[in-house]
């Protein structure tokens, strides 16, 4: 079997379309997971059990069920209840929601790592609650957890191929469509595999560099 460069050239238009969709999912999914993760983390720290318990049950349910099941539920079941989104929107929501339950635990660990003296100082200065969180606690917590959040971004990237299950046109789905049209599988799949490496490996190096700098 020989490598067919013409097959690679033919695949390139589809490939770049898939790259753009993959990066869109990654960016929007990351923002959603970081935002919801903070909401869940604050809910888990709530003094009210009527907030803490439902948030805890919800996040545990999401964490302990497969992303693919959640993806199919959002895409196939919600429309039966009158809630319907495009495949791309559904995939982005699914991946962001799934990983938000993991980032919630990261946020919570970061918040709990802030020294008690910082809380006491904010109280002594009579800072309102929102100022205590935004000016004192969260900046210190985020500094500690940034590398862990970066690792979850890489994990989200590696999970984007699951969205091919609902026909989102990310890189893997584009390679499948190309292979179905040309009956050539080696070249499209190899190009996609290399693309994931070229995106994920530099990102992992960036996370390691950030971790070293924040540890100083």
């Amino acid at each position: 079997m020989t490598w067919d460069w013409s097959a690679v050239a033919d695949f390139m238009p589809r490939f770049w379309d898939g790259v753009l969709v993959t990066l869109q999912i990654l960016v929007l999914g990351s923002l959603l997971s970081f935002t919801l993760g903070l909401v869940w983390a604050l809910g888990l720290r709530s003094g009210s059990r009527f907030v803490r318990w439902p948030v805890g049950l919800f996040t545990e349910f999401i964490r302990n069920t497969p992303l693919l099941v959640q993806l199919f539920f959002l895409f196939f079941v919600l429309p039966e209840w009158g809630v319907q989104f495009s495949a791309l929107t559904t995939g982005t929501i699914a991946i962001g929601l799934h990983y938000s339950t993991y980032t919630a635990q990261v946020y919570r660990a970061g918040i709990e790592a802030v020294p008690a003296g910082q809380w006491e100082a904010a109280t002594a200065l009579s800072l309102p609650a929102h100022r205590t969180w935004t000016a004192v606690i969260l900046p210190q917590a985020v500094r500690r957890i940034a590398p862990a959040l970066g690792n979850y971004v890489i994990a989200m990237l590696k999970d984007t191929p699951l969205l091919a299950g609902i026909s989102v046109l990310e890189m893997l789905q584009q390679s499948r469509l190309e292979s179905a049209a040309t009956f050539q599988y080696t070249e499209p799949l190899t190009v996609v595999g290399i693309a994931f490496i070229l995106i994920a490996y530099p990102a992992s190096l960036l996370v390691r560099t950030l971790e070293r700098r924040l540890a100083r």
Side-chain angles (χ1 to χ4, degrees), residues 12 17-18 20 22 26-27 33 44 52 64 75 94 98 100 107 118 135 147 152 159 164 169 189 197:
M12 283 298 102
D17 289 342
L20 291 176
T22 297
L26 182 62
V27 171
S33 70
L44 292 170
R52 188 172 63 252
N64 288 284
F75 191 70
H98 183 81
S100 72
Y107 278 119
Q118 298 296 312
Y152 280 120
D159 273 348
L169 296 177
L189 287 172
I197 293 173

Side-chain angles (χ1 to χ4, degrees), residues 5-50:
W5 287 105
S6 64
V8 175
D10 292 340
F11 176 52
M12 283 298 102
R14 283 186 182 273
F15 168 71
W16 289 116
D17 289 342
V19 169
L20 291 176
V21 171
T22 297
L23 293 178
Q24 179 181 345
I25 294 166
L26 182 62
V27 171
L28 296 179
S30 297
L31 292 175
L32 182 60
S33 70
F34 294 163
T35 302
L36 288 179
L38 180 57
V39 173
W40 306 146
L42 296 178
L44 292 170
R45 288 181 54 84
S46 173
S48 171
R49 63 181 180 180
F50 296 107

Side-chain angles (χ1 to χ4, degrees), residues 97-114:
L97 178 62
H98 183 81
Y99 276 94
S100 72
T101 60
Y102 292 93
T103 59
Q105 298 302 321
V106 175
Y107 278 119
R108 187 164 71 163
I111 292 169
E112 291 176 352
V114 175

Side-chain angles (χ1 to χ4, degrees), residues 124-142:
L125 292 172
S126 300
L127 292 179
H130 73 277
R131 285 288 296 164
T132 298
W133 280 102
T134 58
V136 179
I137 304 304
L138 288 180
Q140 296 183 63
V142 170

